[in-house]
Structures are given as C-alpha cells and as structure tokens.
Amino acid sequence: EDQVTQSPEALRLQEGESSSLNCSYTVSGLRGLFWYRQDPGKGPEFLFTLYSAGEEKEKERLKATLTKKESFLHITAPKPEDSATYLCAVTNYGGSQGNLIFGKGTKLSVKP
Amino acid sequence: KAGVTQTPRYLIKTRGQQVTLSCSPISGHRSVSWYQQTPGQGLQFLFEYFSETQRNKGNFPGRFSGRQFSNSRSEMNVSTLELGDSALYLCASSLWGGQADTQYFGPGTRLTVL
C-alpha cells in the first residue's frame, strides 16, 4: 500500500534556528513528490515538485531534496512567518489520475 | 492568473440534509480533484474529473458525488449528511490530472454538520 510518513509531527524553532522536515514514502514507482504549505483554515499552497532522486529545488529560505526513499525540506534561518503546516504528497506510476497521496504534515512554529 | 475559487467558504447544515459545493479551476486547467481534510485523517482523495467525466474515485460512500461542466467548473454533492462529514473540503485543479502534474488548491469550504 502506498504510504507517506512525515516527521516530526510538530516542530518548534527559534527565529534563525535552521532545521529539516522529513517525508518518507513507500510507493510502487514514484512519479512525483510535492511539498505544500498550509496556513490554518486555508487551502494548501504549492511549494515544490521533485521527480527524481538527487533533485533539489530552492525558494527563499526553503530547499527541498529527494532520495529514493525520502525527501527533506530544509528551512534556513526561519522567520515567524514561516510558521505553518508543511504537507508532503506523492503520485506513482500507474496510480489514479488526480490523486495525491498525502502525509499527515509537520506543524512548524517559529518563535521570535 | 486567477487561482482556484470555491464557494461557499463556510456552511452549516444539520444531519440528514444535503449540500452542494462549487469549484472553479484555474483558467485552462481541465482536471479537478476533490479532497476531504479532517484533523484525524488528514487529506483524503474523494474523486477526480476530467472533460466532464469522473476518472477516479476514492474510498468514500456513494453519498459523495460530483460532476464537472463543459467549462471545467465542478460541483460536489453530499447527501444525507452525517456528523462525521464535518470537514474542510478542498478542490484542486491541474492541467491534465496526470501523475506529474502539479495540483493547485482552492481555499476550501468548511462544512459543519450539527
């Protein structure tokens, strides 16, 4: 069964304290791995798509990396406005169209 | 480019009623997916529509249904509401709905069933 596990469930950081969020996946042939950010009461906001092991993408203080078994979202010198829940989702070859398989998310809190 | 829009943003219903939610995708996107988000289960796939056809359906009872119009706008309907249907309902659009396509989400409709 295709599965996505995110850790930790919650993470509290001080402003400027860099860290990483983990997304491990078990799928029968990864097609794409997607990172989203979700603020309370809002829809997920797209951050990155990764397609193959070794791929990296960056945006401001965020950097996403992908291996054959997991992905990391590195947050460098976070600010309070980075506080949100970060969601990881995957699709697989042969999987049903339009169906993202989500992890439960990591809730990040950044204190000033 | 305008993003995905959903209406209404909030709904309060009672058990046994039915509800219809609406989603307008990003212009040019032909695939619309629907998800249910709850604190316990996270985001779960409901169904996906492309060119007015339901291509895939998640593991939800038949009370959950949907449709898509020729302009790609989509609606989902939940009949005979139950307390457990209280959730944030999200729709997402993508160009083709392929496994490599990025899905862009709307703000969601918060449904409360009393």
Side-chain angles (χ1 to χ4, degrees), chain A residues 36 38 51 91 95 97-98 100, chain B residues 33 35 37 56 97 99-100 102-103:
Chain A
Y36 291 88
Q38 186 174 28
Y51 295 110
T91 56
Q97 292 103 326
L100 287 168
Chain B
S33 296
Y35 296 85
Q37 186 176 28
N56 296 292
Q99 285 87 350
T102 295
Q103 293 186 28

Side-chain angles (χ1 to χ4, degrees), chain A residues 31-32 34 36 38 41-46 49 51 87 91-104, chain B residues 9 31 33 35 37 40-43 45 48 55-56 88 90 97-108 110:
Chain A
R31 183 63 185 96
F34 305 83
Y36 291 88
Q38 186 174 28
K42 297 187 177 182
E45 174 190 345
F46 170 71
T49 306
Y51 295 110
L87 296 164
T91 56
N92 58 358
Y93 283 101
S96 54
Q97 292 103 326
N99 180 4
L100 287 168
I101 303 165
F102 278 91
K104 295 288 179 68
Chain B
R9 294 293 314 280
S31 169
S33 296
Y35 296 85
Q37 186 176 28
Q41 299 298 319
L43 275 117
F45 173 73
E48 185 258 2
R55 293 195 295 191
N56 296 292
L88 182 66
L90 294 158
Q99 285 87 350
D101 281 2
T102 295
Q103 293 186 28
Y104 297 89
F105 284 81
R110 170 71 64 184

